Amino acid sequence: MVFANLSTIEKMEKEMNKGTFLFREGDTADGIYLIHSGKVRIGKITPDGRELTFRICGAGDFISEVMLFCNFSIYNVHAKVLEDGTYSKIKKEDLEEKLLLNPTLNIEVMKQMSIDQQKSQSKFRDLILHGKKGALYSTLIRMTNSYGIQQSDGILIDIAFTNQELANFCGMSREVVNRLLSSLKKDGKISIIDGKILIHDLQALKDEIHCENCPIEICNIE
């Protein structure tokens, strides 16, 4: 696991409740968070009031939206709790001290930063090259990698997302997502079952955005 060498740093487990925030935009960035259970959404509110969702963190994930070895920095995103659970917070200064003394941990952190950068680049690529359709299709593909369960007639994304939540992932309006999903359903490429999306033709979505078949650690929603 990334950051496995943090075992010697004291990490007191705390409860988190749905609807609360671990931190908000503008708060002092003073630590990283390890999610033990539950789910947390990393997002941002745009100046015009739209909400963007960058990723959803679950058990075993780290939230490391902090600039290391800087005297002062703030969070540029917020972390909203979607599902009750528990977490630990590791102070920034403790992590920095550990990085200076532990080359193995340094390598792990650099690897994770590289993966995060590639994730961001792939998302921007899909949006810039293929527009709103590319943003939605790539989001659905990533969701199959994170939550997909193979069925006889396709891959079920085993978590329910509203159209507004999908829109938040893609940086577009709910109406556009409604229209794109309706088109996919009409073409028989997806179905909606109890609020969950069943993708019948994943390859068709990949072909539309010229999918490069990135590794799972890059092509996911987490």
Side-chain angles (χ1 to χ4, degrees), residues 22-221:
L22 297 184
F23 56 83
R24 296 177 183 267
E25 292 181 60
D27 288 349
T28 300
D30 58 355
I32 65 174
Y33 296 78
L34 170 61
I35 306 303
H36 299 290
S37 62
K39 288 184 172 61
V40 178
R41 180 179 66 208
I42 308 302
K44 188 177 185 66
I45 303 297
T46 65
D48 59 0
R50 291 186 298 119
E51 185 170 4
L52 300 178
T53 299
F54 297 125
R55 63 191 181 109
I56 294 178
C57 300
D61 290 332
F62 272 86
I63 303 174
S64 53
E65 305 290 334
V66 59
M67 295 180 63
L68 298 174
F69 301 104
C70 294
N71 292 330
F72 177 78
S73 63
I74 61 174
Y75 291 114
N76 293 314
V77 294
H78 63 246
K80 186 175 183 178
V81 180
L82 299 181
E83 182 182 284
D84 291 351
T86 58
Y87 73 96
S88 297
K89 182 177 180 180
I90 302 170
K91 293 181 179 179
K92 178 187 173 199
E93 54 266 30
D94 290 339
L95 175 58
E96 290 173 340
E97 180 180 358
K98 193 75 172 177
L99 287 171
L100 290 173
L101 300 175
N102 191 327
T104 301
L105 179 60
N106 247 311
I107 293 172
E108 290 181 348
V109 171
M110 286 190 290
K111 284 182 179 178
Q112 186 60 47
M113 291 175 64
S114 177
I115 290 172
D116 290 343
Q117 182 182 38
Q118 290 182 65
K119 283 183 179 181
S120 298
Q121 287 176 346
S122 67
K123 291 177 183 178
F124 285 125
R125 176 200 65 207
D126 293 336
L127 178 59
I128 293 172
L129 294 180
H130 306 291
K132 295 176 180 179
K133 180 186 290 188
L136 177 62
Y137 286 14
S138 64
T139 296
L140 293 176
I141 293 169
R142 290 185 175 91
M143 286 180 172
T144 64
N145 290 330
S146 294
Y147 310 115
I149 296 178
Q150 187 67 52
Q151 306 285 304
S152 59
D153 54 349
I155 301 177
L156 178 68
I157 298 175
D158 194 31
I159 184 171
F161 290 98
T162 67
N163 288 3
Q164 183 59 62
E165 288 171 333
L166 287 175
N168 292 345
F169 272 109
C170 304
M172 64 181 73
S173 69
R174 179 173 55 84
E175 290 74 18
V176 173
V177 169
N178 291 345
R179 186 174 69 251
L180 291 172
L181 289 178
S182 295
S183 178
L184 288 172
K185 286 190 288 185
K186 182 180 178 181
D187 293 340
K189 292 183 174 63
I190 69 168
S191 298
I192 308 296
I193 302 175
D194 297 328
K196 299 178 181 180
I197 298 176
L198 175 62
I199 298 181
H200 300 294
D201 194 348
L202 181 62
Q203 190 58 48
L205 301 186
K206 291 184 175 182
D207 290 343
E208 283 282 347
I209 63 170
H210 306 293
C211 178
E212 298 178 355
N213 293 311
C214 299
I216 298 298
E217 59 264 27
I218 294 174
C219 186
N220 63 62
I221 210 70

